[in-house]
Amino acid sequence: ERLEKAAPRFAPGWFEHGKLLARTSNMGALDLLRRRKAADRVQKALDLDQDNPFYLLELARLRLKTPALRLDAERLFNRALRAAEERKDPAVLAEVNWELGQLHERRWASVAHRHIITGTAATLDLNAATNEWRYIPEFLASQTAPVPGAGETQRIRAEESYRRAVAADPSHEAAAASLLVLLYDTERFEEAVRFGRLAVTRQPVSARVHFGLGIALHRLDRLDEASKVLDSAFALLSETERREMTSLSALLT
């Protein structure tokens, strides 16, 4: 705040203050004023340095935290992407493409597993549903069918964005891990293994990438290979992460 008063034309000062406010806020209603203050700071920086991709990226992330403004986030991400392409900055280009991939993947995930009722809900036996826990899963399995291709356009756009992110910056861990997860979720395990092996050579100390490769190998029943990769992944975790992952407390609650 002192820097903003002392140097009101210094864009990085406004941006760093806005980013600090943004990163210490959440999506709750109680943080609405903090998010608004953060957006005002980042917008001020953007007014002083128009089309700065870092500023646009942070503003778009802020939009994602406010449900009513999420549609505007994609516009800002795309604007940040164009700015990053003009600057030819691989780091920000990868980051923006990864964020766009996350945006499209969330939309895909929200509809990918939707089903339609093929029978009639009137056949639901409320007494059986109340007294037998297996009844509802069995009812849904026999009376519904998946919606073919639901959200497929969003899935394709997510994958394209992740691949562009990795192409721009092969060391971008989040983009590589996200692409591995997407390949796994769409049951393209062989492709996940091929990409995972490449990603591991680029990011040899990334636990997330090792885990992605390991679970893909496991699904292909290549258990010896999977065990070695997963052991490496565990070794790369911090002590706190390893304790949280191996503890049963989360399951017991």
Side-chain angles (χ1 to χ4, degrees):
E1 288 173 349
R2 291 199 302 271
L3 176 59
E4 289 168 355
K5 293 176 181 177
R9 304 291 300 171
F10 183 56
W14 293 99
F15 171 65
E16 292 298 339
H17 188 192
K19 185 168 71 172
L20 178 63
L21 291 167
R23 301 294 173 87
T24 54
S25 69
N26 57 41
M27 294 176 64
L30 294 177
D31 273 1
L32 178 61
L33 293 178
R34 191 177 190 84
R35 293 198 305 271
R36 186 175 296 168
K37 187 177 180 181
D40 289 343
R41 263 53 184 184
V42 178
Q43 185 60 58
K44 181 68 174 179
L46 198 55
D47 291 341
L48 294 167
D49 184 4
Q50 294 184 8
D51 289 328
N52 184 306
F54 291 100
Y55 301 175
L56 289 164
L57 183 60
E58 197 62 40
L59 198 56
R61 285 169 170 160
L62 264 169
R63 293 288 192 268
L64 287 177
K65 289 186 174 184
T66 307
L69 299 175
R70 284 179 185 167
L71 287 176
D72 193 46
E74 185 174 7
R75 179 187 65 82
L76 287 167
F77 279 133
N78 283 317
R79 188 176 160 194
L81 182 61
R82 291 192 295 272
E85 288 171 343
E86 289 177 6
R87 295 196 180 199
K88 295 181 172 57
D89 185 328
V92 70
L93 198 56
E95 190 72 7
V96 175
N97 273 301
W98 173 69
E99 286 283 9
L100 278 167
Q102 291 279 281
L103 191 71
H104 295 307
E105 185 176 357
R106 282 191 293 269
R107 291 175 179 172
W108 169 67
S110 70
V111 298
H113 305 292
R114 284 191 176 176
H115 285 56
I116 56 172
I117 295 176
T118 55
T120 170
T123 62
L124 181 70
D125 185 335
L126 292 178
N127 288 327
T130 303
N131 297 312
E132 176 53 58
W133 70 267
R134 295 183 183 85
Y135 178 79
I136 288 295
E138 291 173 355
F139 176 85
L140 292 175
S142 62
Q143 300 290 328
T144 65
V147 178
E152 188 65 9
T153 300
Q154 295 296 331
R155 200 251 339 140
I156 292 171
R157 293 177 71 181
E159 183 174 339
E160 289 173 346
S161 294
Y162 290 149
R163 290 190 184 280
R164 284 195 295 266
V166 172
D169 181 6
S171 67
H172 197 289
E173 180 189 26
S178 295
L179 180 54
L180 275 168
V181 169
L182 192 63
L183 292 172
Y184 183 92
D185 283 347
T186 51
E187 300 185 0
R188 292 144 67 189
F189 306 123
E190 291 282 4
E191 191 174 352
V193 167
R194 289 195 298 272
F195 175 73
R197 292 203 183 283
L198 179 61
V200 162
T201 62
R202 292 167 170 172
Q203 300 171 55
V205 296
S206 169
R208 294 174 67 190
V209 170
H210 277 80
F211 276 123
L213 172 59
I215 61 172
L217 286 165
H218 188 270
R219 283 300 296 266
L220 292 171
D221 289 329
R222 294 159 64 173
L223 302 184
D224 290 339
E225 294 175 83
S227 181
K228 292 176 183 177
V229 174
L230 292 172
D231 283 346
S232 298
F234 270 103
L236 291 167
L237 292 172
S238 69
E239 185 60 37
T240 301
E241 290 171 322
R242 194 178 302 116
R243 185 168 57 250
E244 289 175 351
M245 187 171 284
T246 56
S247 171
L248 288 175
S249 60
L251 296 175
L252 292 174
T253 56

